[in-house]
Each structure stands twice: as C-alpha cells, then as structure tokens.
Amino acid sequence: MKSDFFIGVKSPVHAWDARWKCPAFLALVCIAAFVQSPPGLAAAAGCALILMVASRVPAAFYLKTLKYPVFMLVVMTPLLILSAGGASLMDIGPLSIYTSGLEWSGTIGVRSLSIVAMFSVLVMTTRYDMLVKSMEYFHVPNKLIFIFLSTYRFIFLFFELLHNSFRAARLRGYHAARSFFHFTTVLDILISLLVHGFEQTERTNQAMILRGYQNNLIVPGGGSTSASDLAKSGAAFSVAIAVILIEIL
Amino acid sequence: MTEKKCITINRLFFSYCDSGDVVSDISLEVNKEQKVAVVGPNGSGKTTLFFLMCGLLKPQRGRITVDGKAIKHNSFNKEVSYLFQSPDDQLFSATIWDDIAFGPLNMGMDRNTVASEVDAALKTTEISYLKSKSPHHLSGGEKRLAALATLIAMQPEVYLLDEPTSNLDARNRRNIISLIQRLPATMMISSHDLEFLLEVCDRCILIDNGKIAADGSIREILSDESLLQQHHLEKPHSLIPHEHNV
C-alpha cells in the first residue's frame, strides 16, 4: 500500500480541495467511460496525462498502476481484432484482421487507461480523511462512509497480516506454486485471515459502541475552498461539457 | 473517614454457552480514584470480567454499578471506558484527531468542546505531534498512547485497561506508567507485567478459574510466593531480596 507515500507532495492537484476535486474527477471519469469519437478519446487521454503530470507523482508509480489494465488489453486486443467481424483490413492465412476490431481495441484501451490513471491521481493526491469529509459534505449515506472508512483502515492491516503469514509460511518451507499442497496452504492462510478479519471487525464494533456509536457517523472538521479550487473544478467541468458537445455534434 | 465507593459488583456470574462459569460469584467494591491490579493466569476470566463491567457482555446473574448507576448491556455506558488489548481494534478513524474526537462527538458535545477535549487528551498523552497522522502509520507504542487518548477525551469515571504495556519497549512502557500515575481516575488494570502493576496500583485482585482467589494490598499479594505459585504466577523480581557482591 504505497498510495499514501505521495500524499505529502506539493502540487496543484494535491492542493485542490477534496470537496471540489472529487466531483470534478468523477465528471472526467464518466466522460472517459462513454466517449467514442477520436477527438473525445484524445480529450480523455489528454486530461489523464495532464493530471498525472500536474500531480508531480513519479511516472514509475503510475506505470506500475497502469500495468493491470495493460495486461487485460494484451489478452483482449488480439481476440477483438480477429473476431470483431465486418470489413476485413488484412488476411493472414485463415485469420482476418478487422477494422472494427482495431477501432474497438483502441477505444477500450484509451478508456480503461484514462479511467485507471485518473482514479490513481485522485487516490494518490487526496488524503483519505479528506475523502471521507467530502463524502459527508455531499450527504453520502453514513453506512457507505463507514464501509469506505473500515475498508481503508483494514486493508492495511489485512496486507500486513497477509505478508506476515506468507513470511511465516516461507520460514517453514512454503514455496509458491510448487505443488497442490502449497495451493491449499494459500487457501488456509486466506481463510484464517478472513476469520481474523471478522473477529477484528467485531472487536472494532465493540470499541465503537463503547464510545457511543449508534449507527450515526459524525465526521469532524472540514476544509476551506479557495478561488483556485473553483477555477480547477470549473476547468474540469468545462472540458467535460466540451467533450459531451463534441460527442453529440 | 470512609472513602467513596465507585464500582460495586455484587455476586456476578457469567458463562459462555460451551463452557462452565468463566466468572463465578465475583463481588467487589472499588473506591473512587483507586488503582486496582487484576492478575491471574491466562484464561482466568480477567478480560471477561472487564467485558461485563463495560456492558459488552451480559451477566447471567449479578449486578454491576458505577457511581450507583447500573451498567447496561450492549449500550453506551459513558462512565466506563475500556482499553482493548490490541490498539488496532480501537483505532479506526482517518486521523488520530478524528479518532479521539469520535467518543466526545457521540456524547453530543459541541464542536468547540470536542476540539478542546481532543487537544487536552493529546497533551496529556504527549502525542500532539501525531494528531494528523493515520493510525496505520504509527508505531506500537504510539498506537497504545493514542488508544488511551481516545478514552481520556471522554472523561470516564472508570478506566478498564487490558494489558496496557504488552509489546511496548522500555521508553513507551515508562510513558504509559507515568500517564497512568498522573490520571486522577478509578482504574482496574489487567496485566502480566507485575513490575508495572507494582508501580501504579495500590490494591491487587487475583483471579483464577473465574473466582477471586485473593484481594488486598498489592505488595502483600505479590510477595506471597506460595499463593502466586499456586495460581501459576511468579513473584516480581523487584520483590526478591538480592545479595550484592562488592
């Protein structure tokens, strides 16, 4: 969990108030998810690129994050190109490369990479407590805020325990992918972590009851909005509206 | 002069569904601002007694009152606070400041009072520098102090501390000792660290098999080697006479 290593970086994206940043990012992500025309796709990719550069987070970190959609694209693209149907661009023996397959691959590739990149920028540049506060500001239901809060809190504990469990198993001769026996070891570790997680959730719930929690989460504090926050969000919404117009026209 | 009673436990019984009595006929009284050590071997019923005292478990029989008010099961008893064995169970908010504010906010305090209570708790525990940090970024000792600060901000009558010094290094252990000594509150502290209990408590209750095996001055009980051995405990090193070679 290295996402919060970059929370302290000074950049215009980091300085953007979460209450304005979250809706602006969501608008851009929605646009990236639905664009189809080449100018729209170029705008989505351009926005993602600008945000990544402006965030001043090392490119290597974004590349690591983007490898997951790239893996998916590597598997999916040849299948699409060879099976999309319609007009054939080129024949290679019994196989045909279809124009529509290339177009679909390009569209899906740009969309998925842009969305993952924008989400990465949002997570990497926004303190989690500020995300919680912005959720409260927009009246997101308490239960959803609590689920988000618990997930974020326990994901660190879960990975720490997972890491320690595998380390302990390795010290007792465990070797990944060596035999079926080791596959069952992985399952055993995961099941014990799930049980542990359930017990921990129960204890945390008890700790909350002892401090007066009654299914109503009160989030303290809040940030202040500056003119630059409004300008950044205004620019993001303008881009989103412009892309919608391009798509319609 | 008679001292004012704070905690009264009267003939308390509790058992989990698959076992015999984990707490069996426990009766005791604790005075205001008294610091009581609760010792006993693993599985003797110390944590279960604490769970009953803060209302997390419901006794099969018996009654617990704090300042004359009965402890209600599974609801918020603001007079009693409980420090969990693992601070990871207790810290769940985005920042330490939010976590400490959680209790006071639920108690209905206004935002200004909450802010001053949180700042006071941070100051008492000397962790003001951690207020903006996330719980998962803290060391074990820092987490323990933060967990204690979450209780202090609620200003309870009674603190139930379960193994407050476990897994702490000497410096953090010393911080916890001086903090407990400074807090003017009624405390019951369960620990296997008998040297620590000798420093902070004046009374000791020895529990074994869910029953009170001894109750009295901490020095007297922890000096009684045969009693301790009988209940699988060891006499603290500082109470064993030493010969010094010059």
Side-chain angles (χ1 to χ4, degrees), chain B residues 100 115-128 145 148-154 179:
Chain B
I100 300 171
S116 64
E117 289 296 337
V118 173
D119 289 341
L122 284 165
K123 211 173 270 178
T124 308
T125 47
E126 295 171 1
I127 52 164
S128 298
L145 286 168
L148 204 44
T150 65
L151 310 187
I152 292 169
M154 294 167 66
L179 178 59

Side-chain angles (χ1 to χ4, degrees), chain A residues 4-5 127-130 132-133 136 146 149-150 152-154 156-157 160 199-200 203-214 216-221, chain B residues 51 54 56 74-77 80 82 84 86 88-95 97-103 105-106 111 132 134-137 143 150-151 154:
Chain A
D4 40 2
F5 279 10
R127 272 178 46 176
Y128 133 75
D129 53 322
M130 290 300 150
V132 171
K133 276 164 194 167
E136 202 211 19
F146 182 64
L149 204 136
S150 309
Y152 188 89
R153 173 75 186 98
F154 288 111
F156 287 91
L157 289 176
E160 197 180 311
E199 286 172 352
Q200 174 123 34
R203 286 194 298 269
T204 302
N205 189 47
Q206 288 173 337
M208 293 175 76
I209 290 169
L210 289 180
R211 286 198 276 153
Y213 177 68
Q214 287 165 331
N216 180 29
L217 195 70
I218 307 165
V219 186
Chain B
F51 276 10
C54 61
L56 285 178
N74 228 2
S75 64
F76 178 41
N77 297 285
V80 185
Y82 173 69
F84 282 71
S86 164
D88 282 328
D89 297 337
Q90 203 150 354
L91 304 171
F92 44 80
S93 297
T95 64
W97 199 98
D98 290 356
D99 225 311
I100 300 171
F102 182 82
L105 282 169
N106 284 322
R111 305 247 163 179
S132 319
S134 187
H136 61 262
H137 285 154
K143 277 184 195 171
T150 65
L151 310 187
M154 294 167 66

Side-chain angles (χ1 to χ4, degrees), chain A residues 80-90 96-103:
Chain A
L80 261 178
I81 290 174
L82 298 172
S83 64
S88 167
L89 186 72
M90 191 196 296
S96 298
I97 293 176
Y98 296 103
T99 318
S100 57
L102 279 173
E103 283 170 6

Side-chain angles (χ1 to χ4, degrees), chain B residues 147-168:
Chain B
L148 204 44
T150 65
L151 310 187
I152 292 169
M154 294 167 66
Q155 299 187 339
E157 290 292 325
V158 176
Y159 288 83
L160 304 173
L161 310 181
D162 204 348
E163 300 285 354
T165 58
S166 62
N167 301 321
L168 293 186

Side-chain angles (χ1 to χ4, degrees), chain B:
Chain B
M1 195 178 89
T2 53
E3 294 194 70
K4 202 178 169 201
K5 298 275 173 288
C6 182
I7 306 169
T8 308
I9 298 178
N10 193 18
R11 305 212 64 187
L12 199 68
F13 287 84
F14 178 80
S15 64
Y16 294 103
C17 46
D18 56 347
S19 65
D21 281 346
V22 182
V23 168
S24 176
D25 200 7
I26 284 188
S27 295
L28 60 93
E29 285 181 336
V30 178
N31 292 333
K32 247 190 178 3
E33 296 193 14
Q34 194 173 31
K35 292 186 171 70
V36 181
V38 180
V39 297
N42 290 131
S44 58
K46 303 183 298 288
T47 300
T48 304
L49 175 65
F50 281 4
F51 276 10
L52 289 162
M53 289 179 70
C54 61
L56 285 178
L57 292 176
K58 190 178 181 184
Q60 263 98 32
R61 268 186 287 159
R63 186 177 154 87
I64 305 164
T65 56
V66 172
D67 279 347
K69 202 178 153 199
I71 294 297
K72 282 186 234 148
H73 169 242
N74 228 2
S75 64
F76 178 41
N77 297 285
K78 66 177 190 313
E79 299 78 17
V80 185
S81 62
Y82 173 69
L83 182 81
F84 282 71
Q85 280 185 18
S86 164
D88 282 328
D89 297 337
Q90 203 150 354
L91 304 171
F92 44 80
S93 297
T95 64
I96 293 302
W97 199 98
D98 290 356
D99 225 311
I100 300 171
F102 182 82
L105 282 169
N106 284 322
M107 288 166 82
M109 292 183 195
D110 65 78
R111 305 247 163 179
N112 290 335
T113 317
V114 170
S116 64
E117 289 296 337
V118 173
D119 289 341
L122 284 165
K123 211 173 270 178
T124 308
T125 47
E126 295 171 1
I127 52 164
S128 298
Y129 63 100
L130 297 175
K131 67 178 180 186
S132 319
K133 286 209 172 183
S134 187
H136 61 262
H137 285 154
L138 308 189
S139 70
E142 289 171 336
K143 277 184 195 171
R144 187 81 61 173
L145 286 168
L148 204 44
T150 65
L151 310 187
I152 292 169
M154 294 167 66
Q155 299 187 339
E157 290 292 325
V158 176
Y159 288 83
L160 304 173
L161 310 181
D162 204 348
E163 300 285 354
T165 58
S166 62
N167 301 321
L168 293 186
D169 64 17
R171 185 174 54 103
N172 282 310
R173 182 176 169 277
R174 184 52 50 195
N175 287 343
I176 293 279
I177 289 172
S178 70
L179 178 59
I180 290 173
Q181 284 171 334
R182 271 183 284 136
L183 281 176
T186 312
M187 287 190 191
M188 288 184 74
I189 308 168
S190 157
S191 179
H192 294 289
D193 182 352
L194 301 184
E195 297 288 356
F196 151 71
L197 293 175
L198 265 173
E199 280 199 58
V200 296
C201 300
D202 39 28
R203 177 180 165 194
C204 178
I205 294 172
L206 198 162
I207 293 182
D208 201 358
N209 287 322
K211 291 187 170 78
I212 295 181
D215 183 353
S217 143
I218 190 155
R219 290 212 158 253
E220 276 174 27
I221 288 179
L222 296 188
S223 303
D224 190 338
E225 208 158 355
S226 65
L227 175 74
L228 293 176
Q229 271 179 2
Q230 207 182 321
H231 297 285
H232 312 286
L233 298 170
E234 278 185 354
K235 193 173 175 176
H237 202 248
S238 62
L239 295 179
I240 300 170
H242 292 82
E243 284 178 16
H244 294 278
N245 296 323
V246 182

